[in-house]
Amino acid sequence: MPRTASKPTKKRSKPYTVTSSDTDPVPSASSKTKKSSKENDEKYKLFNKYANTSSGVIDPEGIEKLCSKLKVSHTDIKILMLAWKMKAERQGYFTKAEWRRALKALKVDTIKKLKKALPELEKEVRKPLHFADFYAYAFRYCLTDERQNCIDIETICQLLDLVLGSTFRDQVDHFVDYLKIQNDYKVITMDQWMGFYRFCNEISFPDMTNYSLELAWWPLILDNFFEWMREKQA
């Protein structure tokens, strides 16, 4: 009897094992949108707690309430730094868009989180990369009218103490003393304001041996300050 060729045995494929990666849902665009929308809602709810219901912005009274919750004075430099982070255009007023910009950048949506973020914000601002921009912003923020381009001496003295006092104490104290006794200037311009910042960073103080009256790039007010200091030191 002839032998019959046996059929080749088929290999059984291994059963497919379901892994966690197969069952984990991939976030959809709609879920991301919902999350973003929820985060915005929380920021806006917080904004509405301090906003004036008539104007729809946080006004000076609202900022006072905000500062009270944050347990900082409205004159604390951290509030000015928060305004800088918002890119707030009008002194004493925060719009909803400005509020959202800052809270989104700081990744906060509650007062508790905002309070914790303020010290980190101060560290960020005090980095040389950011501080010059913050210093210039502080001047612009104090301009209360669109046509205004200078600030009165009294306000400038307070602003210098707030913004530069902790970094250049000696220079600020002497310059403020000079501003208070001189009679040539009633207001300070942005050019003069930025010139003093450069003076603090570049000129050795109080000897000022590397300051030259012959260099035209220093504002005249700093030449006068230099000569006043020389008279005091004589």
Side-chain angles (χ1 to χ4, degrees):
M1 187 173 181
R3 294 178 63 183
T4 308
S6 59
K7 294 181 179 180
T9 305
K10 291 183 179 180
K11 291 184 179 180
R12 292 186 179 181
S13 58
K14 292 183 180 179
Y16 179 72
T17 305
V18 178
T19 64
S20 59
S21 62
D22 297 305
T23 57
D24 288 344
V26 177
S28 63
S30 60
S31 66
K32 288 180 181 178
T33 303
K34 287 178 182 177
K35 183 181 178 182
S36 176
S37 177
K38 185 180 178 182
E39 288 173 350
N40 286 336
D41 286 346
E42 293 302 317
K43 293 179 179 67
Y44 291 150
K45 282 179 185 177
L46 191 59
F47 174 86
N48 291 332
K49 285 183 179 180
Y50 305 101
N52 183 304
T53 52
S54 299
S55 63
V57 301
I58 298 178
D59 59 16
E61 185 179 344
I63 291 177
E64 287 274 9
K65 291 178 182 177
L66 174 64
C67 291
S68 177
K69 282 290 184 181
L70 292 171
K71 300 194 184 315
V72 296
S73 167
H74 70 281
T75 59
D76 193 300
I77 193 171
K78 294 185 187 71
I79 300 304
L80 183 57
M81 290 174 173
L82 183 60
W84 171 79
K85 197 69 176 175
M86 291 184 191
K87 297 181 181 177
E89 294 183 0
R90 188 180 171 199
Q91 185 182 23
Y93 296 86
F94 300 152
T95 67
K96 186 175 285 189
E98 290 166 350
W99 175 266
R100 181 181 177 276
R101 181 186 293 125
L103 267 64
K104 183 179 180 181
L106 295 171
K107 298 178 181 178
V108 301
D109 55 12
T110 66
I111 282 293
K112 186 177 180 181
K113 290 177 183 177
L114 180 56
K115 186 178 178 181
K116 286 183 69 175
L118 289 181
E120 291 303 313
L121 173 60
E122 183 169 7
K123 287 180 185 177
E124 177 191 346
V125 173
R126 292 199 179 279
K127 292 177 180 177
L129 181 67
H130 297 135
F131 192 79
D133 182 68
F134 169 71
Y135 181 79
Y137 171 82
F139 185 94
R140 293 194 302 271
Y141 187 64
C142 288
L143 299 175
T144 54
D145 189 280
E146 287 183 2
R147 293 166 295 179
Q148 186 181 352
N149 59 9
C150 51
I151 300 174
D152 66 274
I153 293 295
E154 183 181 353
T155 301
I156 281 293
C157 290
Q158 295 170 353
L159 196 59
L160 281 170
D161 185 64
L162 177 67
V163 178
L164 279 187
S166 63
T167 311
F168 298 105
R169 183 78 271 165
D170 204 17
Q171 291 93 321
V172 168
D173 285 347
H174 282 84
F175 192 52
V176 165
D177 286 346
Y178 166 71
L179 290 175
K180 288 179 177 179
I181 61 96
Q182 58 80 38
N183 296 309
D184 297 321
Y185 301 90
K186 301 298 182 186
V187 294
I188 295 295
T189 65
M190 172 66 93
D191 183 57
Q192 293 164 338
W193 173 257
M194 295 307 297
F196 182 66
Y197 178 66
R198 191 157 55 85
F199 176 92
C200 291
N201 280 282
E202 296 178 14
I203 302 303
S204 59
F205 199 85
D207 61 87
M208 299 182 294
T209 51
N210 58 335
Y211 189 92
S212 174
L213 292 170
E214 297 176 4
L215 296 176
W217 63 61
W218 292 111
L220 182 59
I221 192 172
L222 292 177
D223 287 347
N224 296 342
F225 172 58
F226 171 80
E227 291 180 329
W228 177 78
M229 283 289 298
R230 277 283 179 260
E231 289 176 9
K232 282 189 66 176
Q233 293 167 348

